[in-house]
Amino acid sequence: MFDDMQNVYAVIDSVVAAVDIEISLLVIALVGIYCIVGILSLKEKGARESSEKELARLQGEIEKLTREVNDLRREVSARAKVEAVAAPVAEIPAAKEAPAEGVVAAKAIPVEGKAEAAPVVAEVVAPKVEAATIAKGMAKSRTSLLGKLKNLFTGRKSVDLASLDDLEEMLITSDVGARVSDALVNTVRGRASQNQEITETALRDLLKEGIRTELIPVPLEHRMYEPVGNPLVILVVGVNGVGKTTTVAKLATRYQEQGKKIVAIAADTFRAAAVQQLKEWGTRSNFFVYSGAENAKPAAVVFDGMVAAKEQGADVVLIDTAGRLHTKSNLMQELEGVRNSIRRHVPDAPHETILVVDGVSGQNALSQAREFNASTPLTGLVVTKLDGTPKGGIIVAISQELKIPVFYVGVGEKARDLLPFSVDEFLDGLLNEEGEGGSVTSPRVSPSGSAEAAPAL
């Protein structure tokens, strides 16, 4: 019934060339209905093996038709804009001068026996939408840590040797890690033993400098921010529930907005919802998503996805893997199969292997990082849900132990809420009092040399 789809496409092409776009859309829609009817009829037949293959092929045809419809719609929209611009100027009625954005003009009220007064303009200030920043995302962590600092200075103006145990406990409970806490306390001990006065402000400065040595700064021209490759292959791993699929989608959106051609491979084949979620992001942000059959082997999906990426001429390939518990060795070993599939197409890939961790999980995130790094060498981190936790110090603990950088932090649900990580902004967001100066509000400089108030996504 459907053995000659090429003839169908030939008909579509001839119709598109011969008639208006609107009629072409109708023809394509009818062909789509024809395919759907074919799918329903196949479901009623008893031959499962042949029908499943035919169903998969037909679904692929429908997806292709859908893409063609979207392309034609865009063409119709573009033509409409061109026609509107080309319209004679004389036919466009003169518009009255509109009030400035955010300002509403009140109606003039005529007064009997007097000339009508000029309209009174009532200024209405439009609500300001503030850009997401790391400082705002660190609010809960900052409140928690600074509250503990103030308790430490209750009844004293300076840290002394007797208060060092309290300082160490404060740091450990803030999730910066035992090793970092010990190193910071030793620095303070050295100052205190020399009878140097260590006020609250001085202590915060000491903590900043100590933590800074444990974090790895990443330049804005790094390929995770400015993708370079042919293609650049990024493998994304993590346990279920940390925001892994959402992170893949946000990265794809960021790179697509930079003009890169994106292919996202939905290799989380054990969760149909994850595949569907990624496809919805792809439709919304206009990037291609490759997915295999449900419950297919992830390595097989990745192999076929890499073929599709080459055919598409992708600049960036993002691979979403199945969420797995870091305690399950068989699932962790499966990652090696995925890596092998990638290398069959791009021998030096994956170029980046990113672990996504949930900032809310605290020390459990450190355990996950250890296990994943032992199974598949990690090149960097993405810490999500930073705005919903007082445990932002875990960034320090993971970076110190694994010696890998944090590339992004998530401070909200929108695509633009995935922010490039900045050591200075993180430290100011963690230890600065509200309203204090620092690099939190200073512009970041992009590789092109232009300043930007917040990293664009």
Side-chain angles (χ1 to χ4, degrees):
M1 180 178 181
F2 301 102
D3 291 337
D4 204 6
M5 289 299 294
Q6 293 300 323
N7 291 336
V8 175
Y9 284 116
V11 172
I12 293 175
D13 290 338
S14 62
V15 171
V16 170
V19 300
D20 290 339
I21 297 295
E22 290 80 359
I23 298 176
S24 302
L25 288 171
L26 178 60
V27 172
I28 292 175
L30 291 173
V31 174
I33 294 172
Y34 180 64
C35 291
I36 293 171
V37 171
I39 290 174
L40 294 175
S41 66
L42 281 173
K43 285 185 176 179
E44 295 176 357
K45 294 181 179 180
R48 286 178 173 266
E49 293 183 1
S50 60
S51 64
E52 284 178 359
K53 292 180 180 178
E54 195 67 21
L55 281 170
R57 187 175 68 80
L58 288 171
Q59 287 169 347
E61 300 292 350
I62 291 177
E63 289 182 2
K64 184 176 179 181
L65 287 169
T66 302
R67 288 195 296 271
E68 289 189 8
V69 170
N70 290 334
D71 290 341
L72 287 169
R73 284 176 176 168
R74 283 194 292 270
E75 186 175 343
V76 170
S77 177
R79 287 185 181 181
K81 290 179 180 178
V82 171
E83 290 172 1
V85 172
V89 176
E91 295 179 6
I92 302 175
K96 295 182 179 179
E97 186 176 11
E101 184 178 357
V103 175
V104 178
K107 292 183 178 179
I109 303 174
V111 181
E112 185 177 354
K114 296 183 180 180
E116 184 175 319
V120 179
V121 177
E123 184 175 349
V124 180
V125 180
K128 183 180 179 181
V129 179
E130 296 186 353
T133 65
I134 294 176
K136 292 185 181 72
M138 294 291 295
K140 289 187 177 181
S141 296
R142 178 172 59 252
T143 300
S144 175
L145 182 55
L146 293 185
K148 293 173 184 177
L149 267 177
K150 291 191 179 299
N151 289 338
L152 182 67
F153 280 91
T154 300
R156 60 169 65 95
K157 294 182 179 180
S158 176
V159 173
D160 52 28
L161 293 173
S163 60
L164 292 181
D165 287 343
D166 293 334
L167 174 62
E168 185 172 23
E169 181 182 351
M170 179 200 79
L171 292 169
I172 291 175
T173 56
S174 297
D175 286 287
V176 299
R179 297 177 186 176
V180 176
S181 298
D182 186 57
L184 293 172
V185 169
N186 284 336
T187 300
V188 176
R189 179 180 286 109
R191 299 289 182 91
S193 62
Q194 297 173 10
N195 295 321
Q196 294 185 19
E197 185 179 37
I198 305 174
T199 62
E200 181 180 345
T201 300
L203 179 59
R204 286 194 280 125
D205 289 340
L206 282 174
L207 294 178
K208 275 188 183 182
E209 292 311 308
I211 293 173
R212 187 188 304 277
T213 62
E214 306 295 346
L215 297 173
I216 302 173
V218 184
L220 278 178
E221 59 269 19
H222 190 279
R223 61 188 178 188
M224 281 298 296
Y225 305 139
E226 298 286 338
V228 177
N230 189 30
L232 174 66
V233 181
I234 302 172
L235 181 65
V236 183
V237 301
V239 302
N240 282 325
V242 297
K244 179 170 47 60
T245 301
T246 302
T247 296
V248 170
K250 289 180 178 180
L251 286 173
T253 301
R254 175 188 176 89
Y255 299 149
Q256 193 274 338
E257 290 180 355
Q258 291 178 0
K260 305 297 182 182
K261 191 170 185 61
I262 310 300
V263 169
I265 301 176
D268 188 352
T269 57
F270 303 115
R271 285 198 313 133
V275 176
Q276 184 59 34
Q277 179 188 4
L278 196 55
K279 285 184 174 181
E280 289 174 1
W281 272 92
T283 300
R284 189 189 319 163
S285 298
N286 196 30
F287 60 85
F288 179 76
V289 177
Y290 179 85
S291 61
E294 189 174 349
N295 294 322
K297 293 289 184 181
V301 173
V302 170
F303 184 91
D304 293 339
M306 291 298 296
V307 173
K310 284 191 172 183
E311 291 174 349
Q312 293 271 336
D315 299 310
V316 182
V317 180
L318 288 155
I319 303 173
D320 182 25
T321 59
R324 59 201 72 234
L325 292 173
H326 54 286
T327 54
K328 300 292 185 181
S329 59
N330 60 323
L331 292 178
M332 297 295 281
Q333 290 169 1
E334 193 176 79
L335 281 175
E336 188 57 31
V338 169
R339 294 172 68 88
N340 289 336
S341 291
I342 297 171
R343 293 192 191 104
R344 295 277 295 276
H345 298 279
V346 183
D348 63 339
H351 305 105
E352 300 287 349
T353 301
I354 307 303
L355 174 67
V356 180
V357 295
D358 183 344
V360 177
S361 61
Q363 289 299 309
N364 193 38
L366 178 57
S367 299
Q368 294 169 19
R370 286 175 184 148
E371 295 298 327
F372 272 97
N373 195 50
S375 175
T376 181
L378 303 174
T379 60
L381 295 171
V382 173
V383 182
T384 63
K385 308 176 189 177
L386 197 61
D387 56 321
T389 178
K391 300 179 180 182
I394 194 60
I395 288 176
V396 183
I398 298 176
S399 295
Q400 187 277 333
E401 181 163 332
L402 300 184
K403 308 301 181 187
I404 58 176
V406 177
F407 287 129
Y408 290 93
V409 290
V411 296
E413 297 180 356
K414 299 178 181 177
R416 294 179 182 272
D417 294 335
L418 186 68
L419 305 178
F421 181 72
S422 162
V423 172
D424 287 335
E425 291 183 24
F426 171 76
L427 291 174
D428 289 343
L430 183 64
L431 288 161
N432 272 13
E433 292 277 10
E434 193 73 27
E436 275 188 332
S439 57
V440 172
T441 56
S442 62
R444 301 190 67 183
V445 179
S446 68
S448 61
S450 59
E452 51 186 5
L457 232 180

